[in-house]
Amino acid sequence: MFDIAEIWNHSSFEAKIIIVTMLLMGLASIFVAIERTIALVRARGASRALAGSIGQHFADGNAEAALKVAEDEQYKSAYLANTLKAGLKEFIDRPNRHGIDAAERAMQRAHIDEDASLRRGFGILATTGATCPFVGLVGTILGIIGAFQTMSEGGGDLDKLLLPIGEALIATAIGITVAIIGVWLFNLFNGLVAGIVKDITTSELELMDWFEKQVLDSAESAAK
């Protein structure tokens, strides 16, 4: 039977480096998953609270009060906060068509920044999922080379071949397992962020409609 401790003790330095590298990649992926879970849960909760607090100000047509709520520190982690602040600031400075155009551009820039912030750490997950099987393959090749070296030195019996073969199989198993974890986590969080980005886009469009309504109401009031 395979004795993992014995296989590890007899593994080459290069093989140990490869195995440790793959384990670190797996730990990094788990760390990203934990950090992103906490960040996304906090951002979603803050955004829902922000939407509930700011809604009445929009209903009253009070852009200044809405901006003041969006700038409150308790909503700092809300993914809607930066988008709302960017659009409201431009519209308050110029409550006309030019202000609407400026607000749209400002919200697009805020959207890009927020999207990048939400996807922080995704590169680690993608890299782990894409490269870990190949890192494990290098370990597998080293184990096979070790088995051939043992055979060339006259150690053709199964007991002597067991250690290098075990080294190769362990490297393969770790590489595939870590890669599966990385791909699964990447797809999971990518889906969650895609849903959040959809909510942000919807909010931006609703805010643009609100700006248009404010300008139209002001024009109608001036005409009277």
Side-chain angles (χ1 to χ4, degrees), residues 114-128:
E114 193 63 37
D115 186 56
S117 178
L118 290 169
R119 297 180 188 277
R120 187 180 297 119
F122 281 25
I124 293 175
L125 300 180
T127 300
T128 298

Side-chain angles (χ1 to χ4, degrees), residues 61 91 95-96 211-224:
F91 183 74
N96 52 37
F211 290 154
E212 293 281 355
K213 184 177 182 300
Q214 301 311 302
V215 172
L216 181 60
D217 289 346
S218 296
E220 291 177 349
S221 297
K224 294 178 182 179

Side-chain angles (χ1 to χ4, degrees), residues 59-114:
D60 295 337
N62 193 337
E64 288 81 3
L67 177 59
K68 186 175 180 180
V69 172
E71 290 178 333
D72 194 309
E73 280 297 314
Q74 65 178 311
Y75 305 121
K76 184 178 180 180
S77 61
Y79 50 75
L80 290 178
N82 290 332
T83 300
L84 291 176
K85 287 189 291 186
L88 286 168
K89 286 178 181 178
E90 293 293 340
F91 183 74
I92 290 171
D93 289 341
R94 289 177 291 178
N96 52 37
R97 296 291 178 184
H98 297 293
I100 292 177
D101 292 339
E104 183 177 12
R105 292 190 295 271
M107 287 192 295
Q108 287 175 349
R109 291 191 295 269
H111 184 125
I112 292 171
D113 291 340
E114 193 63 37

Side-chain angles (χ1 to χ4, degrees), residues 21-220:
T21 298
M22 291 188 293
L23 291 176
L24 289 176
M25 292 171 73
L27 290 174
S29 296
I30 293 173
F31 174 81
V32 169
I34 294 173
E35 188 275 333
R36 284 294 84 193
T37 298
I38 295 172
L40 294 180
V41 168
R42 182 182 299 150
R44 185 179 293 276
S47 292
R48 287 177 177 173
L50 172 60
S53 299
I54 207 171
Q56 186 58 48
H57 297 304
F58 282 128
D60 295 337
N62 193 337
E64 288 81 3
L67 177 59
K68 186 175 180 180
V69 172
E71 290 178 333
D72 194 309
E73 280 297 314
Q74 65 178 311
Y75 305 121
K76 184 178 180 180
S77 61
Y79 50 75
L80 290 178
N82 290 332
T83 300
L84 291 176
K85 287 189 291 186
L88 286 168
K89 286 178 181 178
E90 293 293 340
F91 183 74
I92 290 171
D93 289 341
R94 289 177 291 178
N96 52 37
R97 296 291 178 184
H98 297 293
I100 292 177
D101 292 339
E104 183 177 12
R105 292 190 295 271
M107 287 192 295
Q108 287 175 349
R109 291 191 295 269
H111 184 125
I112 292 171
D113 291 340
E114 193 63 37
D115 186 56
S117 178
L118 290 169
R119 297 180 188 277
R120 187 180 297 119
F122 281 25
I124 293 175
L125 300 180
T127 300
T128 298
T131 64
C132 209
F134 299 104
V135 177
L137 182 60
V138 174
T140 302
I141 293 171
L142 291 176
I144 293 173
I145 291 173
F148 280 120
Q149 288 178 338
T150 300
M151 293 175 64
S152 67
E153 293 170 359
D157 58 274
L158 184 59
D159 289 338
K160 293 183 178 180
L161 292 176
L162 185 62
L163 293 176
I165 291 175
E167 175 187 318
L169 294 177
I170 288 175
T172 301
I174 293 175
I176 293 174
T177 301
V178 173
I180 289 173
I181 293 173
V183 170
W184 186 82
L185 290 175
F186 177 81
N187 290 334
L188 172 64
F189 285 99
N190 198 50
L192 292 174
V193 170
I196 291 174
V197 171
K198 181 180 178 181
D199 290 342
I200 295 174
T201 302
T202 301
S203 297
E204 291 170 351
L205 295 174
E206 290 175 348
L207 188 56
M208 289 296 296
D209 289 340
W210 186 83
F211 290 154
E212 293 281 355
K213 184 177 182 300
Q214 301 311 302
V215 172
L216 181 60
D217 289 346
S218 296
E220 291 177 349

